[in-house]
Structure formats: structure tokens, C-alpha cells
């Protein structure tokens, strides 16, 4: 695909070669993300970061990625502080805000809303999550993480064995990740969820049409014994009619060190898009896994900055100029020391 000026709305836009390109650029961003060097390549550019749903990682890492490339960030969070509460349409909001920004990242509770916004926008729009539909930048950083974690174990994405666990019905990260895996070969996908929260059938079909082996189950322990990646997800409480309904499923698939030791192969990598629900009644990934070297959740979150820098550099067509605008970093920075 031609990245320059493109909207990033769905994983469906990418072919394998595009994903490789994003990953190569993400690799090249590491010295900047670790503050070994700084660049001003996007000096003067403005990111409109519009988050109409709760977000910590996605919002802050998109902002930090833009800052690390030298650009400025303008942020709107929540409907309360936006004219959408006054009845303004997505079309009008997009026409106006795209005049104030060079690129826009948007999260919104409705499926399809970010694409609708992008149609009216005069600048590229990146989907930061539209309802239960898609979360393309998360899937890219997830796959980037999988590739990195597996590489040290001598395995690759082709032939990957992955279990996705939890609320697969509403989880947009796993929807996008499944779509992304469709461009790779010979993947074994185990989908572990309560029956009511199963992966949408259309996505299961896409995986099967890609030639992948898909197992659908509601049993955790038998599902995690022959996999490379255990990808846990949160019960998406905000997509249920009531908290009580969500509570019925909370805590169904807990993973802790004892279960890991008993059932997983010793090198199984544990991932989660975060936030993990650490409340006692949920406790998706127990804190006793924090010392497990295969718990990749924080490396995964760190990788979000690299992948998001890559998306900005590609969409704004500055990949070749990043290093030209670089210089040494003067301040003490702990990240650089590690
Ligand atoms: C995810 C999301 O918002 O879809 N979080 C994230 O962006 N890292 C997953 C979640 O909220 O459970």
C-alpha cells in the first residue's frame, strides 16, 4: 500500500509486505524511543489525539510517539469536553478538527465511527479503537511483540501457535489480531472463551479461509499446553448491558504461576493488551507472574511506541528524514542506561 497520507482504519488494508515495512521502520525507531538520540523531523506538525473512550496506553503512547518525532499533540478526551455533546455530527467535527491537525488519532465507542470520521477528514486518521470492531495499531504492536519474543526462541510467525483467552466477542484487539494473522501461514489458533463471549463467526471463517487451524473451546487448562503465546484479554465490561452481566464472566480464565507451571510449555509467552483487570474477582493475570521472564505485557506496551512512531513516519512520509534531523540527547535518562 501507499502509506503517504493514508488513513489507518482496519487491518484489512495491509498485505504482508506492508506489515514487514511497518516492522522495519519500528525497529529503526528504537534509538529514539530509548532516548539514545532525538529527532525533530516532525517539528511544527500537530497530532489531534481524540479519545472518546477511556484510554491510557493507546492515547499516551500515540502522543509520546508523536512527541518523540518532534511534533506537538493536542488532545480531546471524553464526550463531556467536546461539542459532540451539543449535537455536533462526526462529519462537522472532522471537517473542523482536520483543519487544526496534520494527522488525527481517534477512539470512539461506536463500530465504524472512525471510518465515518475519516471520510470527512482532510488529514490522515488513525483508528485508536472503534467500539468492539477494530484496533489496528494494537494488533500491529501485538504482532511486532510476538515476532520479537519468538525470534529469541528460534520460531517465527508462520507456524505460530496462539491461544486467545477471555472476551473474544467484544475484544477489538483480538478481532484485529486474528485478521492480521490471516496474511501469515499455518497458524494454530485456540479461541478460549465462555460460549456467550465467543469470537464472531465471521472472523473464525476468515482464519479458516486463510488455512489456519482453529479450535474453539471454553476450557483454559487444556488449551494452553501446546502454544507459543497465551494472549489474555479483559472482560469488556463497558460493552455489556449491565455490570452484573459482565460480572458473570469475570474471573473465569485466571492465569497464575501455578497454572502456568503445570500446564504451559516452559517458554510460553504471556501477553495482554492491558489494562489487565487485577481486582480480586477478576485477576486475569495474577501478580505472581510478574517475575516470570515470559510475561511480555510491559515489553508489549513499550513496543506500542515504536509501532506508533512507525505509523506516523510512514503516513507523514518522513521515514528517510528521521535520522537527518537527529542529535544526541543531553539529559540523564534511565531508559538509555538499560
Ligand atoms: C484495549 C482496548 O482498548 O481495546 N486496550 C488497549 O488499547 N491497550 C483492551 C482493553 O481495554 O481491554
Amino acid at each position: 500500500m501507499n502509506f503517504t497520507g493514508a488513513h489507518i482504519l482496519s487491518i484489512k488494508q495491509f498485505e504482508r509486505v506492508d506489515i514487514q515495512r511497518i516492522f522495519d521502520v519500528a525497529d529503526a525507531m528504537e534509538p529514539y524511543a530509548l532516548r539514545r538520540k532525538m529527532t525533530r523531523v516532525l517539528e511544527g506538525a500537530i497530532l489531534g489525539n481524540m479519545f472518546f473512550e477511556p484510554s491510557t496506553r493507546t492515547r499516551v503512547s500515540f502522543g509520546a510517539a508523536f512527541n518523540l518525532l518532534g511534533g506537538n499533540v493536542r488532545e480531546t478526551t471524553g464526550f463531556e469536553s467536546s461539542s459532540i455533546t451539543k449535537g455536533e455530527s462526526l462529519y462537522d467535527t472532522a471537517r473542523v478538527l482536520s483543519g487544526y491537525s496534520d494527522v488525527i488519532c481517534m477512539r470512539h465507542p461506536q463500530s465504524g465511527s472512525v471510518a465515518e470520521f475519516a471520510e470527512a477528514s482532510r488529514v490522515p486518521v488513525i483508528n485508536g479503537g472503534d467500539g468492539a470492531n477494530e484496533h489496528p495499531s494494537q494488533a500491529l504492536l501485538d504482532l511486532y511483540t510476538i515476532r520479537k519474543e519468538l525470534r529469541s526462541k528460534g520460531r517465527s510467525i508462520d507456524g505460530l501457535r496462539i491461544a486467545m483467552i477471555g472476551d473474544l466477542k467484544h475484544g477489538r484487539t483480538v478481532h484485529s489480531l486474528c485478521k492480521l494473522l490471516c496474511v501469515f501461514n499455518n497458524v494454530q489458533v485456540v479461541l478460549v472463551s465462555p460460549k456467550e463471549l465467543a469470537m464472531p463467526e465471521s472472523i473464525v471463517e476468515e482464519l479458516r479461509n486463510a488455512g489456519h487451524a482453529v479450535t474453539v473451546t471454553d476450557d483454559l487448562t487444556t488449551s494452553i499446553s501446546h502454544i507459543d503465546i497465551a494472549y489474555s484479554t479483559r472482560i469488556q465490561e463497558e460493552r455489556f448491558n449491565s455490570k452484573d452481566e459482565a460480572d458473570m464472566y469475570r474471573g473465569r480464565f485466571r492465569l497464575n504461576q501455578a497454572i502456568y507451571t503445570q500446564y504451559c510449555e516452559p517458554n510460553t509467552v504471556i501477553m495482554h493488551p492491558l489494562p489487565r483487570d487485577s481486582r480480586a474477582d477478576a485477576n486475569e493475570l495474577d501478580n505472581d507472574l510478574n517475575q516470570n521472564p515470559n510475561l511480555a505485557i510491559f515489553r508489549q506496551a513499550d513496543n506500542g511506541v515504536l509501532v506508533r512512531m512507525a505509523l506516523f513516519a510512514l503516513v507523514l512520509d518522513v521515514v528517510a528524514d528521521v535520522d537527518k534531523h537527529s542529535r544526541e540527547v543531553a539529559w540523564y535518562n534511565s531508559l538509555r542506561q538499560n
Side-chain angles (χ1 to χ4, degrees):
M1 71 177 269
N2 179 9
F3 282 99
T4 307
H7 301 304
I8 307 290
L9 301 173
S10 166
I11 282 301
K12 291 273 184 74
Q13 293 171 246
F14 304 119
E15 291 176 22
R16 194 165 167 146
V17 55
D18 305 318
I19 295 160
Q20 189 56 52
R21 175 87 177 117
I22 295 168
F23 289 178
D24 289 344
V25 178
D27 285 343
M29 296 299 151
E30 195 168 274
Y32 300 100
L34 293 178
R35 278 63 151 190
R36 295 203 181 97
K37 288 196 275 182
M38 60 181 283
T39 179
R40 310 298 316 162
V41 69
L42 288 186
E43 189 161 26
I46 296 177
L47 163 68
N49 218 14
M50 301 174 52
F51 278 72
F52 297 118
E53 264 195 336
S55 173
T56 304
R57 267 147 296 274
T58 307
R59 179 173 56 83
V60 178
S61 70
F62 266 126
F66 208 74
N67 289 148
L68 285 165
L69 290 166
N72 301 309
V73 182
R74 295 238 141 242
E75 205 155 81
T76 300
T77 53
F79 285 111
E80 326 68 62
S81 60
S82 147
S83 281
I84 290 183
T85 49
K86 299 181 186 172
E88 188 168 53
S89 67
L90 277 176
Y91 178 89
D92 287 5
T93 311
R95 293 301 293 175
V96 173
L97 286 178
S98 56
Y100 304 160
S101 322
D102 296 273
V103 57
I104 292 174
C105 292
M106 184 171 172
R107 169 172 289 188
H108 192 284
Q110 264 166 351
S111 287
S113 54
V114 182
E116 184 187 333
F117 182 92
E119 259 177 57
S121 170
R122 293 172 279 170
V123 299
V125 175
I126 302 181
N127 183 358
D130 61 322
N133 184 35
E134 277 225 42
H135 194 345
S137 66
Q138 179 72 42
L140 289 165
L141 78 89
D142 288 343
L143 196 70
Y144 182 77
T145 304
I146 291 171
R147 188 185 72 142
K148 253 191 185 169
E149 298 286 327
L150 291 193
R151 199 191 279 149
S152 62
K153 298 171 170 58
R155 295 184 56 83
S156 69
I157 303 173
D158 291 320
L160 170 73
R161 302 166 304 163
I162 182 169
M164 298 183 197
I165 303 155
D167 184 354
L168 307 184
K169 177 180 178 191
H170 303 108
R172 55 193 169 199
T173 72
V174 282
H175 297 169
S176 288
L177 184 56
C178 285
K179 291 177 189 175
L180 191 51
L181 289 173
C182 286
V183 301
F184 292 84
N185 300 322
N186 193 25
V187 177
Q188 291 176 42
V189 188
V190 188
L191 300 171
V192 191
S193 73
K195 286 191 179 54
E196 301 82 357
L197 302 184
M199 181 67 76
E201 198 47 48
S202 60
I203 299 180
V204 175
E205 276 307 297
E206 281 182 52
L207 286 166
R208 293 203 166 116
N209 290 340
H212 299 333
V214 184
T215 309
V216 177
T217 171
D218 59 2
D219 185 60
L220 179 68
T221 50
T222 55
S223 315
I224 54 176
S225 45
H226 300 291
I227 51 166
D228 304 301
I229 306 283
Y231 187 108
S232 173
T233 64
R234 181 178 65 86
I235 299 297
Q236 306 281 294
E237 184 181 317
E238 63 277 31
R239 313 256 177 255
F240 287 78
N241 294 325
S242 68
K243 184 177 173 296
D244 288 349
E245 196 189 339
D247 283 345
M248 284 165 33
Y249 304 106
R250 215 189 294 281
R252 282 273 281 276
F253 300 115
R254 295 178 184 187
L255 193 53
N256 59 25
Q257 188 55 47
I259 295 173
Y260 182 91
T261 309
Q262 186 174 353
Y263 295 100
C264 291
E265 290 173 1
N267 278 330
T268 304
V269 175
I270 306 164
M271 293 176 60
H272 192 301
L274 301 180
R276 59 174 154 170
D277 189 341
S278 294
R279 288 170 289 193
D281 55 344
N283 198 20
E284 289 149 8
L285 294 181
D286 196 292
N287 282 336
D288 72 359
L289 289 162
N290 288 357
Q291 307 314 318
N292 184 325
N294 291 303
L295 184 77
I297 56 176
F298 300 119
R299 295 192 286 277
Q300 187 181 353
D302 282 351
N303 288 335
V305 174
L306 299 176
V307 168
R308 291 179 172 128
M309 287 177 82
L311 290 177
F312 288 134
L314 285 160
V315 166
L316 297 177
D317 195 21
V318 292
V319 173
D321 297 321
V322 171
D323 287 337
K324 271 190 240 158
H325 293 263
S326 78
R327 52 191 161 97
E328 291 305 305
V329 166
W331 65 89
Y332 174 81
N333 190 299
S334 315
L335 289 179
R336 213 178 344 142
Q337 316 305 316
N338 298 320

